[in-house]
């Protein structure tokens, strides 16, 4: 069989282990993220796509911006006393929550769109770092793609279930089929529309904007988790390389000058790989910081909002409304934990090679091991929210303590309100008894 010249060249370059030893032709993580960003074009994150996708993204952006402006105006009217109806789903709390929801979605689209523009340069640098990892003992992470798929499926499924539960809780199971659309729009977007302002043609745009906003709000958290997993995988591979090399050194019985030279060279390559990895984390963090900041801010707000509504109003309504209150709060907490723990794993894995280095025998200890140990010990590698906070596991405890403090204040305030109401009723009864003949 005759082999063409192009095929022969391709076989020579990509099949020759002397030229590319243990080096994959494609990076699994970059392939997966490219697929994610391609699908993200459907809900307004265009990146470097064609002009048609750019127009679609601009349309989504304008729709969200107009909705947010309307929500802010409704909040202003309620605070100024100009609103005609401020009860139930048109209260100040409901109006402000709606404005915050669309603010979160609008911010998510803008920041994710910005990241998608910068992703091409980041991907090139990511691939260049992969070449630095071209060390004999750095094995590829074969299970990374499965973990990425599992996490994406889990978070997408959770978001879908939570959204469907919100629809059921809003419309109710007894709502006539012909009135489902009207009931859902007026209850879920009561902060925007009054009953007399509703007409059939406004329902599809409201549903479109609502669904897009929900997708964008969840997408930014999925993006944070996936990129954090990719960075963590890199550190895990390097840590396993250090563990393997240290294990091989323990098996060495004889010391020689030639072996020492080779070991110094190997440890220098490993140290340079850690340096490149740290630079990669910092580059990702510079493009990623605002997303982390706003994601954690809005998550904390909606956790507090759900707790506020649960404590002040209680779990009232039918079965679906009660279930939705619990599911919604649980899902926001799970999402927040996933984001914080995934990002915190980068910091944790950046230090996990140190115990292996501490076990190196004195006769094999060299200047490069000392430099690597000093580098890992003193270099603080972590994603941060624009420098306001570093995402480590302690952040989760800090958020939990803040939420608990907030709950205790609400409970105390609610109890004082009940005591005051009881006192007023008692005083009224005493006054009534005194005035009776």
């Amino acid at each position: 069989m005759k082999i063409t010249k192009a095929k022969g060249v391709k076989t020579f370059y990509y099949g020759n282990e002397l030229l590319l030893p243990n080096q994959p032709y494609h990076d699994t993580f970059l392939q997966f993220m490219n697929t994610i960003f391609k699908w993200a074009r459907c809900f307004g994150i265009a990146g470097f796509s064609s002009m048609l996708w750019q127009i679609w993204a601009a349309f989504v952006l304008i729709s969200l911006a107009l909705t947010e402006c309307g929500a802010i105006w409704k909040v202003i009217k309620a605070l100024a006393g100009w609103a005609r109806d401020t009860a139930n789903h048109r209260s100040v709390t409901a109006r402000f929550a709606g404005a915050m929801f669309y603010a979160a979605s609008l911010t998510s689209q803008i920041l994710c769109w910005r990241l998608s523009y910068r992703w091409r340069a980041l991907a090139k640098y990511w691939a260049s770092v992969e070449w630095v990892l071209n060390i004999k003992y750095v094995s590829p992470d074969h299970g990374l793609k499965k973990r990425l798929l599992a996490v994406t499926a889990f978070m997408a499924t959770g978001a879908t279930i939570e959204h469907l539960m919100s629809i059921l809780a809003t419309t109710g199971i007894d709502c006539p089929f012909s009135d489902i659309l009207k009931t859902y729009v007026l209850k879920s977007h009561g902060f925007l529309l009054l009953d007399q302002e509703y007409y059939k043609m406004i329902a599809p745009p409201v549903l479109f904007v609502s669904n897009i906003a929900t997708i964008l709000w969840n997408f930014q958290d999925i993006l944070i988790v996936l990129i954090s997993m990719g960075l963590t995988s890199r550190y895990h591979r390097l840590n396993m390389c250090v563990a393997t090399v240290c294990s091989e050194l323990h098996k060495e019985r004889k010391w020689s000058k030639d072996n020492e030279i080779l070991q110094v060279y190997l440890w220098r390559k490993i140290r340079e790989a850690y340096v490149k990895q740290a630079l990669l984390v910092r580059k990702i963090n510079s493009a990623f910081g605002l997303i982390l900041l706003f994601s954690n801010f809005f998550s904390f707000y909606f956790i507090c909002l759900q707790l506020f509504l649960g404590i002040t109003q209680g779990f009232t309504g039918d079965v679906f409304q009660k279930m939705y209150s619990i599911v919604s709060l649980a899902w926001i907490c799970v999402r927040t934990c996933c984001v914080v723990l995934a990002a915190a794993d980068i910091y944790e894995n950046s230090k996990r090679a140190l115990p292996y280095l501490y076990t190196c025998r004195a006769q094999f200890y060299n200047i490069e091991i000392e430099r690597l140990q000093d580098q890992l010990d003193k270099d603080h590698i972590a994603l941060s929210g624009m420098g306001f906070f570093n995402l480590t596991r302690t952040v989760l405890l800090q958020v939990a303590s803040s939420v608990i403090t907030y709950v205790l204040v609400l409970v105390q305030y609610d109890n004082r309100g009940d005591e005051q109401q009881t006192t007023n009723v008692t005083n009224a009864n005493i006054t009534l008894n005194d005035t009776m003949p």
Side-chain angles (χ1 to χ4, degrees):
M1 182 177 179
K2 188 176 180 180
I3 301 176
T4 61
K5 183 178 180 181
K7 186 175 180 181
V9 171
K10 183 176 180 180
T11 304
F12 175 76
Y13 278 105
Y14 299 135
N16 195 329
E17 292 188 355
L18 295 176
L19 293 176
L20 299 175
N22 302 320
Q23 183 66 35
Y25 176 48
H26 292 295
D27 187 279
T28 302
F29 175 77
L30 292 180
Q31 281 185 318
F32 189 86
M33 291 306 300
N34 288 336
T35 304
I36 291 292
F37 279 116
K38 284 181 181 179
W39 281 101
R41 295 178 301 183
C42 298
F43 42 87
I45 300 173
F48 283 99
S49 302
S50 62
M51 183 58 66
L52 187 62
W53 286 114
Q54 300 287 341
I55 294 172
W56 168 250
F59 172 74
V60 172
L61 180 65
I62 293 171
S63 301
L64 290 172
L66 291 176
T67 307
E68 175 62 15
C69 290
I72 293 174
W73 173 242
K74 293 292 184 179
V75 172
I76 294 173
K77 288 180 67 176
L79 293 175
W82 303 335
R84 287 182 289 178
D85 186 2
T86 56
N88 298 326
H89 47 274
R90 295 187 178 91
S91 63
V92 175
T93 303
R95 292 169 187 247
F96 191 72
M100 289 293 286
F101 171 70
Y102 280 104
S105 303
L106 181 62
T107 305
S108 174
Q109 192 205 3
I110 294 172
L111 295 179
C112 291
W113 194 351
R114 172 174 169 265
L115 178 64
S116 66
Y117 267 116
R118 303 179 66 177
W119 184 251
R120 181 178 293 180
L122 291 172
K124 288 180 180 178
Y125 188 78
W126 190 295
S128 69
V129 174
E130 184 67 30
W131 286 91
V132 179
L133 295 183
N134 184 17
I135 303 171
K136 178 181 178 181
Y137 297 108
V138 179
S139 58
D141 190 351
H142 296 292
L144 177 60
K145 186 175 181 179
K146 292 181 180 179
R147 296 198 303 273
L148 294 173
L149 283 171
V151 169
T152 305
F154 168 73
M155 298 190 73
T157 303
T160 304
I161 292 173
E162 192 268 344
H163 189 58
L164 291 176
M165 288 291 296
S166 71
I167 295 174
L168 287 174
T170 303
T171 58
I173 196 171
D174 297 328
C175 181
F177 183 78
S178 58
D179 295 336
I180 288 179
L181 199 59
K182 179 180 179 180
T183 303
Y184 176 72
V185 170
L186 288 177
K187 286 189 176 181
S188 64
H189 289 72
F191 60 93
L192 280 176
L193 297 170
L194 296 174
D195 292 348
Q196 58 270 24
E197 295 174 345
Y198 175 83
Y199 54 95
K200 290 184 178 180
M201 293 301 295
I202 204 172
V206 170
L207 286 177
F208 165 76
V209 174
S210 174
N211 290 327
I212 287 290
T214 303
I215 294 172
L216 287 169
W217 184 41
N218 287 275
F219 177 74
Q220 69 174 0
D221 287 347
I222 295 176
L223 203 60
I224 293 171
V225 173
L226 294 180
I227 293 178
S228 299
M229 289 176 65
L231 293 172
T232 301
S233 173
R234 285 287 183 83
Y235 269 117
H236 177 72
R237 291 166 60 194
L238 285 173
N239 295 338
M240 290 299 99
C241 171
V242 172
T244 304
V245 173
C246 290
S247 176
E248 293 293 329
L249 288 179
H250 290 161
K251 298 177 183 178
E252 292 284 342
R253 295 184 178 181
K254 295 182 179 180
W255 176 89
S256 65
K257 189 66 176 177
D258 293 337
N259 284 340
E260 183 183 9
I261 294 173
L262 291 175
Q263 288 170 13
V264 169
Y265 175 76
L266 175 61
W267 282 110
R268 183 182 298 122
K269 293 284 290 182
I270 294 174
R271 184 175 61 82
E272 289 173 354
Y274 272 102
V275 171
K276 289 287 186 180
Q277 177 64 19
L279 289 175
L280 175 62
V281 174
R282 291 189 172 97
K283 280 183 175 291
I284 294 291
N285 188 56
S286 65
F288 214 48
L290 278 174
I291 296 178
L292 290 167
L293 178 64
F294 283 105
S295 172
N296 284 273
F297 168 74
F298 284 114
S299 295
F300 182 72
Y301 167 78
F302 282 107
I303 289 173
C304 292
L305 176 65
Q306 291 288 352
L307 290 172
F308 171 77
L309 295 176
I311 292 173
T312 57
Q313 299 178 7
F315 294 107
T316 58
D318 58 18
V319 176
F320 286 108
Q321 290 175 342
K322 293 177 181 178
M323 288 178 60
Y324 172 68
S325 299
I326 298 172
V327 169
S328 178
L329 177 60
W331 174 240
I332 296 174
C333 292
V334 169
R335 266 178 50 190
T336 305
C337 290
C338 288
V339 169
V340 174
L341 291 177
D345 270 349
I346 298 172
Y347 172 77
E348 296 295 328
N349 279 270
S350 68
K351 305 290 185 183
R352 283 182 181 167
L354 286 171
Y356 303 118
L357 297 176
Y358 294 148
T359 61
C360 282
R361 291 158 60 181
Q363 59 180 334
F364 298 115
Y365 199 79
N366 56 58
I367 185 63
E368 289 299 331
I369 296 178
E370 182 181 356
R371 289 173 179 172
L372 178 59
Q373 183 177 324
D374 187 63
Q375 173 184 315
L376 295 179
D377 186 43
K378 296 181 179 179
D379 199 7
H380 188 82
I381 307 298
L383 296 179
S384 67
M386 297 301 294
F388 288 99
F389 55 87
N390 291 323
L391 280 171
T392 60
R393 292 182 179 178
T394 56
V395 171
L396 198 61
L397 294 177
Q398 292 170 359
V399 171
S401 63
S402 300
V403 170
I404 291 172
T405 304
Y406 175 76
V407 169
L408 292 176
V409 171
L410 282 180
V411 170
Q412 187 177 9
Y413 176 78
D414 194 46
N415 290 337
R416 285 183 179 179
D418 293 340
E419 291 174 1
Q420 184 66 33
Q421 185 177 3
T422 304
T423 303
N424 292 337
V425 172
T426 304
N427 292 336
N429 290 334
I430 293 173
T431 304
L432 182 62
N433 291 332
D434 291 341
T435 56
M436 289 180 65

